[in-house]
Every structure is written in structure tokens, then in C-alpha cells.
Amino acid sequence: MGNTIALVGNPNSGKTTLFNALTGSNQHVGNWPGVTVERKEGEVRFRDKVYKVVDLPGTYSLGAFSEDEMVARDYILTGNPDVVINVVDATNLERNLYLTTQLLEMGVKVIVALNMVDEAESKEIYFDVKALSGRLGIPVIPTIACRRQGLDDLLAAASIKIDSAKNGQFAISYGESIDTKLITLKSYLSKSELAIPLNWLAIKVLEGEEYALRIIKEQEALQGSTDFRSFYEELAVHRDEYQLDIVDARYNFVNTIVKGTVSRPAEPKTTWTDKADDILTHKIWGLPIFAAIMLIVFQLTFAIGEDVLGESMAEGIEALGEIIKSGLVSISAPWWVTGFVTEGIIAGLGEIIGFIPLILVLYLLLGLLEDSGYMARAAYVMDNIMRAVGLQGKTFISMIVGFGCNVPGVMSTRTLENRKDRMIAILINPFMSCGAKIPIYLVFIAAFFPKHGGLVLFSIYFLGILMALIMAKIFSKTLFTGEVSHFIMELPPYRKPTLRNVIRNMWDNVSEFLVRAGTIILTVVSALWILAVLPVGVEAYGPESILGRVGSLIAPIFKPAGFGTWQAAVGLFSGIAAKEAVVATLGMVYAGVSEGAELVSTIRSVFTPLTAVAFMVMTLLYTPCAATIAMIKKETGSVKWATFAATYTFALGWLMAVLVFQIGSLLGFA
Amino acid sequence: MNCLSLIRLNAGDHGKVEKILAGSAATKRLYEMGFNTGARIKVLKNDSGPIIVCLGNNKIALGRGLAEKMLINIEH
């Protein structure tokens, strides 16, 4: 393996686009701060050498404000990248160079990719790249990542940097008092053996960063010295003031770099982004527009995904099933092989594959919204509502991500800095109806409400949001009290979505769905099939099978909700493993139905419109899938919270389903 | 000097950041996002939601609670 290149940059600097352009890998560009929560890697070949490229989360700083920052900082410090490419948004040079300054303080080998120079030019911002590079003391390469321009120059500069000596000592003045303190501190630190750059560590100690303070605490030699301790205590007193002075000093340094090397108009030009924002973030129209956009997304998903593509897909699977079945019969395979393949595997996968177009369309549309920059506006217009329930607008983004899948939904809460926001956002994410639940609704919609599909779907989603908000309010009043956190969010300029990014993102999600379908769901369906035909001799899928007996045991719980059949119980049960398995399971247990249309007509005979609604409400709200529960455990770092999330959602789902059925019955619905 | 809390500025007003009176973590974050002392900002929107300001070529939305704690030296 060759050398490692790390990409670092501010959110919205085009870092992820550059990563895609370099590696051609499947990765996703987002417009809200910090969409790259995971460390992504790829490879790039340049002049017969292969380089590993690591994409770090977008950050404004390398402190400890959020987990993203810590991930980036730790990787640069301990991951030993051979060179760091600092992606800099040319239209926002000062703020981006602030991060560059910190990289220089760390003493790592760094080069600057001055990205989006085309956008800067359209805003009449011009650079003297050579002078910039000279003043910074590191190479500065203009790039346009989305058009793949400047990549070769960038890689050439990176490879030269890798082979060159380390950056010289970088020193800016932070003001006399701080400079003296730094020198004293460094002389103390030099006595202990530390693997981190001392200059950087000393600055971080003065800034009062937890991380640095912890390192100091662990140095026994230092702690043993009374001289050091009194010096250190003195520092602590002035920490707040040092902190801001250091930030100011960095900006002063940036200003000296920028002065005379950048020319721009005195007044920023009014762009069409500004005009669009007048409407999209309007205090009256902002929210209805957002609601309308979401309604259109679901209507389109339904219309294109289900009606146009889904049906032809389902027919194809059906035909394939017939061919395989007759093939197996013609070679006179034993009954259990034929049964397992056609009723278990084909039926199970068929149900799932039929819904792929739908998920494709949903991800395509959500990806377009994201890539265009609209999502940040959605967070903005939702801020007031979220604030009313004790959260802030940014929380809503994790909720929208949850519409695709709750696993990334829960993961995306990492960009929330405040623990209260984050815990609540995690706990309510399962109410955001994920893509895998759509097939379940569709079966019931096809059976009872075929004319009002989009509306029913929208109402379900709306109920999910409503329950999430109600629970958020309850949690913020009970479990997580504390102040509402501050809302700070960049509103990136609207950009024409890059088709490649959107399609990559869509494909990533769908292929993940397929892999899951091929593994967990197949396992669940197979296991259920075995349970359904055992003990040997019972009627397959009958109430006497193991499956039937287990189902019958659970079923009474759901009686008050109107669907107390063992089949429904088994279906919901399989959904705790994976929501994708529910339809396949229902298909199996309702007398081994293998075809979509047959399942729909069986459902129509077993359920009533009212119990169908109750079942859909249960599906919407009850326990999330195993993968989501596992992610909740990972993100909260606690089994307790994961268990809590799994149980309270079940209780709430049950309660709501019962309410729907009981009140509906009282009102005379059936 | 003509200093006002950001929340009292109207769309179109512009000025320089004079002082931020928020907690130390929030203040540092604002500094790091470019709202350091002397940074020039312009208010784009101030109605019922978060305040949108223009900082350099950036648009940043700031919650009202935070905006209240930012003192701006208004320029005419």
C-alpha cells in the first residue's frame, strides 16, 4: 500500500465532491454541515502510484466542539497521514483559512486545494495564487472538483509534499502575554515524552481544550512539580480570555495572508440564491412550501415507484418464480426443496424486489433536495416548531434522513453538538417512517384505499412526525431537561444537483437495501418457513405449526387493536428483525401466498379498513428493526437507552393502534 | 459608539461584531465560524425565525437566543 492522503475542510467546501472526483468511489455529497460522519476511504492512482485517500468529516475547527471535529483531529494526530489536503472554499477564504492555520499549528504536511474557483469568479473574486502560496508557505492549487479540474496538479503537489521534509516551525504571534506563556509551557512539556507536536499541544492547553488538558493530567512528572502546578493554575484563571485571543490571533494571521492576494467587489453581488431564499425561508410561506415539497416527494414516489416501475418488476418476478417452479417440478425435486425455494426464497425476495423502484425514487428525490441545498432551509423553517418542543431546527435533518432509513438517521445526529438534542433526536428517529416500511403500507393501501394512496402515505408520515414531536416535548420536559441549544447553521448557496452524486447516493442506499434483503431478510424468511412447516406432518403455515403456535401465543396482545390473529403477530415479530421482512412474512403465513395480488386479496378478506389502519399505525410506531436498535446502542453508548427505545416505541405503537381501533369502532367505522 | 444587540437590527443593516456575550463554548464556535471581533456582517432577514446574516460570502442562520447576545457596532 502506498501513501495516505487525508482530506480536511469546512462543511460545504466541496471536500466530498473532491473525494468522489479523486477516487471515483461511492460517496455522497451533502449540503448540510457534517454529512460525512463516517470515515470514508478510497484509492487514487497517479503516475503509477496508488494513494489511499481518507475523507474526514467537514469541520470549522480542530477542537472538540462536536464528534466530527474530534474524529478529524484524532485522525490527523494519530492516523499518520502522509499529507493532508486542506480543501478550501474559494468563495469564503477567510473562514476556511482559519482551519488551515490550525493545520499549520499542528505541523503536519499540508497543501491547499483552493476549490470552487469558478464560483468565486462568478462572484468576481480573484486570487493571486502564487502570493497566497508564498505567504502561507505551502502549495496552493486552484481546483474545480465538480468539473474535475486541477486534480492532476493537486496530486502532483501532494506527491512532492509527501517526499519533502516536514513543514518548518510555524509560528504566529498570539500577543505578548500568550507567547510568553507558550514558551514556558513548551519548556515544561519538552521534559515529558509526548508523541504529539508540542507547539500544538501548548496552544490547545491555553485554549483549554479538554483533550489537551487530559494529556497534561496524565503526565505524572509534570503533576509532581509544584512550579508547574502553580503556573498551570494561573493559566486556568485566564482561559476564557486566552481562548478568544488565540482565535483572534489566527484571524489576524489570515487577514495578513489575504490582504492584497484576493480581490473582490466591495458589496457581495445579490445572487439568485438570495432571491430564492426570500421565498423559501419566508416567515409565512416557508413552512407551507416545505410541506408541499414533502407531499410532492411522496406523491411522486408513489406514482413513479409503485405504479409505473413497481408493477412491471413484480410481474417479472412472478414469471421468474413460475419458471423456477416448473423447472424444479420437471427434475422432480423433493417437496421440501420446491417448497423452500418457491414459497420461501422466491416469494420472500419477490415481495422485496418489487418495491425496489419505490425506494429508488424516494432516495432520488431526497438526494435532489439534499444536493440542491434545500435541506438547510428545511431546518431553518422548522426551527420555530422544533424549538416549541425543546429542540432546534437542525434536529429535523436527522428526522428527514430517517425517512430513508433510521440507521443513517440515528447516525446523522452526530452533528448535533448538544447532548440533550442528540439523545432526543435518537429516541424519536424510529417514528420517521423508513423506506422499508413503505411496502407494508402499500399492501394495505392496495387492499383498502387504492384511490387515495399518496394521501394515506402522507398521513402516515405526518402522524409519525407528530408523534416524534410529542415525544420530543415529553422527553425534554422529563428525561432531558436543560436549555434549548443555540441554532447556528450555514445556508449554503443553492447549487444545481450533480446528477452523479445523486445517483451514486441512490445506488449506495439501494444496494445496501439489496444486501440486507439478501442476508437478514432471507435468513428471517427461511427461518420462518422452517418454523412454518414443522413439526413434520402439520399443515404448512397452519395454526398447528411452530410458527402458528408462537404467533397464537403473542396474538392476544393485539386483540384490543383489532388484529389479534397469529399471522399478524408473526408478521410484526419478523419486522423487529427487519422491516423488509414483514410483507414477505405476511405473504407466507397467509396460506403461502406468493403473489402480490393474491396477498392483497387475502389481506382484504382478513382485515377491515379500520383494522388495516390500526395495523399501519402499529407498523409506523412500534419497535424499530434490529439494525436501528444496534445503532442506537452504539450512538448512545448504552444498552439501557437501546432497550428503552425498543420498548417505549412498542408500547406507544400498541397504545395508538388500540386507540385507533377502539375509537374507530365507537364512531361506527369498520 | 452605536452598539446594538443583533436581534434589534433590521434586514439591510450592517456593522461589525463588537462583542459576544454568550457562554464560552458558543462564543468560541461563533468566533471560529468567522464572527470574531471586527468581522463585518449584514442582516439579511430578521422576522420570527432565526436571523439570517451575511458574513463574507456566507449566509448563516443564527438562533434568536444567540443573536440577542451578539453586540454589533452599526455602520451607516
Side-chain angles (χ1 to χ4, degrees), chain A residues 245-291:
Chain A
D245 285 350
I246 290 175
V247 179
D248 268 338
R250 290 193 188 116
Y251 271 110
N252 285 337
F253 168 73
V254 168
N255 286 334
T256 60
I257 298 284
V258 171
K259 207 168 185 184
T261 54
V262 181
S263 79
R264 60 187 133 208
E267 271 290 303
K269 280 170 60 179
T270 306
T271 54
W272 67 275
T273 288
D274 300 327
K275 287 171 199 149
D277 270 344
D278 283 344
I279 305 164
L280 294 176
T281 62
H282 191 273
K283 69 174 166 183
I284 296 164
W285 301 117
L287 257 181
I289 291 173
F290 174 52

Side-chain angles (χ1 to χ4, degrees), chain A residues 266-268, chain B residues 1-6 8-19 34-44 52-56 62 70-76:
Chain A
E267 271 290 303
Chain B
M1 241 190 315
N2 198 354
C3 270
L4 268 183
S5 160
L6 174 57
R8 296 181 55 194
L9 267 55
N10 298 314
D13 288 351
H14 52 97
K16 285 181 176 171
V17 177
E18 180 69 29
K19 202 169 173 56
F35 292 98
N36 55 322
T37 313
R40 300 172 66 103
I41 59 136
K42 183 177 170 192
V43 178
L44 295 177
I52 302 179
V53 300
C54 181
L55 174 74
L62 295 166
M70 296 173 70
L71 289 182
I72 307 298
N73 191 355
I74 302 169
E75 294 171 333
H76 294 284

Side-chain angles (χ1 to χ4, degrees), chain B residues 25-69:
Chain B
T27 305
K28 188 168 185 208
R29 162 97 324 187
L30 285 168
Y31 262 61
E32 292 186 330
M33 285 188 81
F35 292 98
N36 55 322
T37 313
R40 300 172 66 103
I41 59 136
K42 183 177 170 192
V43 178
L44 295 177
K45 190 181 204 47
N46 181 4
D47 42 43
S48 57
I51 292 176
I52 302 179
V53 300
C54 181
L55 174 74
N57 269 296
N58 267 47
K59 274 186 167 188
I60 296 174
L62 295 166
R64 302 189 72 79
L66 206 51
E68 208 177 342
K69 296 180 179 127

